[in-house]
Amino acid sequence: MQSKVINTTTATKRPAFDWQNYIVYIAFIGVFIIFSITLYDYGFLSTNNLLNIVRQTAMISIMAVAVTFVISTAEIDLSVGSIAALSSLTAALAIQSFGTVGGILAGLGTGAIIGLINGLLVTKVLIPSFLVTLGMMIIVKGIAMWVTGTAPVPILNDAFIFLFGSGSLGPIPMLFVWTILIAVIGHIILRKTTFGRQTLATGGNESAARFSGINTARVKLIALVSSGMMAGFAGMLYAGRLEAGRFTFGEGAELSVIAAVILGGTSLFGGVGTVVGTIFGSILIGTINNGLIIMGLDVSQQMMVSGLIIILAVAFGRKAKKR
């Protein structure tokens, strides 16, 4: 009799299902079903279109994985789009002289160096990350335009194009392979490692984290360097897919990245982060954009819908923090 009473008491204490924790998954399923029905005759469910969604969202997804760590520490990175553009150019230029390996090192190195500068300015000079990365976004954009005089740099290296662009492993595009690989690594680091726990603790309560022995400045520095490096990697994907480096790559990408992260369930105020949710947030935005294009909406209408998504993302972020 006593055990029955205990079981009943325990059952009554179970938390109720909170749909807000799964909003990105619910929204993705709902949007996908709606587009599947309304755009079925227009080829929305065709293999080619679904793979196209994957290719289009790969760069945003990869940058968003790294930015998940940044936002989880209660910081932000607005420079990822410009870093991707400059990295595509430095990779393309390096390939001409040093081949595939040189291009990879140049692209990743460009992102890492800019991320390091961002991190030092935030953690050592103590300038708010919003201002640092906003200024860096403008500076890097200017460098990307200046370095080649706004001219694109073609890439003729087949190995680079295969690895970071049009290549595939069987039916699976390399862009999708890279997305899954980065997402799995990011998820494991955030959920299973000491650094992941320190990241969430830093964003949740930096003072408490510091008193508990966590080097919060180091955590933020690593997060911002990683964000820069993944933006550089995304720049290589842009370059590989379009077989050229261009200063226009990544324009406005920072907004899509932040929207994907917040829609996925990461709190804009830090302390809560999820890489899996971020990936679904990115794919949700990509699916919506793809469906709007098939429906024939013009660019202005697509921008309005994208802006609405960002507002909703921030709104859910604020609500999550209040709870």
Side-chain angles (χ1 to χ4, degrees):
M1 178 66 70
Q2 185 179 3
S3 62
K4 289 183 179 180
V5 173
I6 292 174
N7 290 338
T8 302
T9 304
T10 303
T12 58
K13 291 183 178 180
R14 289 178 182 174
F17 176 80
D18 188 352
W19 63 270
Q20 283 187 326
N21 293 332
Y22 304 94
I23 184 63
V24 68
Y25 310 107
I26 296 171
F28 174 75
I29 293 172
V31 168
F32 191 84
I33 291 175
I34 291 172
F35 283 161
S36 297
I37 295 173
T38 59
L39 301 176
Y40 178 81
D41 293 334
Y42 296 90
F44 177 78
L45 289 177
S46 67
T47 302
N48 184 57
N49 186 61
L50 295 179
L51 289 177
N52 194 41
I53 293 175
V54 170
R55 295 188 188 98
Q56 290 174 340
T57 58
M59 287 69 80
I60 298 298
S61 296
I62 288 172
M63 288 189 283
V65 168
V67 173
T68 297
F69 286 82
V70 176
I71 293 181
S72 293
T73 65
E75 302 294 346
I76 200 164
D77 190 350
L78 298 174
S79 63
V80 289
S82 295
I83 293 175
L86 181 59
S87 295
S88 76
L89 288 167
T90 56
L93 290 170
I95 287 171
Q96 294 178 351
S97 301
F98 305 104
T100 303
V101 175
I104 294 172
L105 293 177
L108 293 177
T110 299
I113 291 171
I114 298 172
L116 178 62
I117 295 172
N118 284 339
L120 291 175
L121 289 173
V122 170
T123 60
K124 301 301 182 182
V125 187
L126 302 181
I127 304 174
S129 57
F130 177 85
L131 298 177
V132 169
T133 58
L134 177 62
M136 190 61 70
M137 174 181 71
I138 299 170
I139 293 171
V140 173
K141 185 69 171 180
I143 295 174
M145 296 175 68
W146 169 77
V147 72
T148 62
T150 71
V153 180
I155 295 177
L156 304 176
N157 187 297
D158 292 336
F160 187 90
I161 293 172
F162 175 86
L163 287 173
F164 303 107
S166 58
S168 61
L169 293 178
I172 306 175
M174 285 301 300
L175 292 175
F176 183 67
V177 173
W178 287 120
T179 301
I180 295 300
L181 180 63
I182 298 299
V184 169
I185 293 173
H187 175 74
I188 292 173
I189 292 175
L190 188 62
R191 293 298 178 194
K192 304 295 183 181
T193 69
T194 300
F195 177 75
R197 291 188 289 272
Q198 291 178 344
T199 297
L200 298 176
T202 298
N205 189 324
E206 186 173 355
S207 297
R210 193 182 300 113
F211 283 126
S212 68
I214 297 174
N215 188 338
T216 57
R218 174 178 168 273
V219 170
K220 291 183 178 183
L221 179 62
I222 293 175
L224 285 164
V225 171
S226 300
S227 179
M229 186 176 294
M230 286 300 98
F233 188 81
M236 295 194 306
L237 297 183
Y238 278 119
R241 186 179 179 217
L242 297 176
E243 301 183 12
R246 299 175 185 270
F247 77 92
T248 55
F249 289 158
E251 281 188 335
E254 58 280 342
L255 299 181
S256 296
V257 167
I258 294 170
V261 173
I262 305 305
L263 276 174
T266 297
S267 173
L268 185 63
F269 302 91
V272 178
T274 164
V275 170
V276 174
T278 291
I279 294 298
F280 271 89
S282 175
I283 296 175
L284 171 60
I285 294 173
T287 302
I288 291 173
N289 289 336
N290 179 267
L292 295 178
I293 291 172
I294 295 177
M295 292 171 64
L297 271 67
D298 59 31
V299 176
S300 61
Q301 293 169 317
Q302 294 175 38
M303 290 176 64
M304 288 188 287
V305 174
S306 298
L308 178 61
I309 291 173
I310 294 171
I311 293 174
L312 291 175
V314 175
F316 277 113
R318 288 187 62 84
K319 196 161 189 177
K321 181 65 177 180
K322 289 179 180 179
R323 296 178 64 237

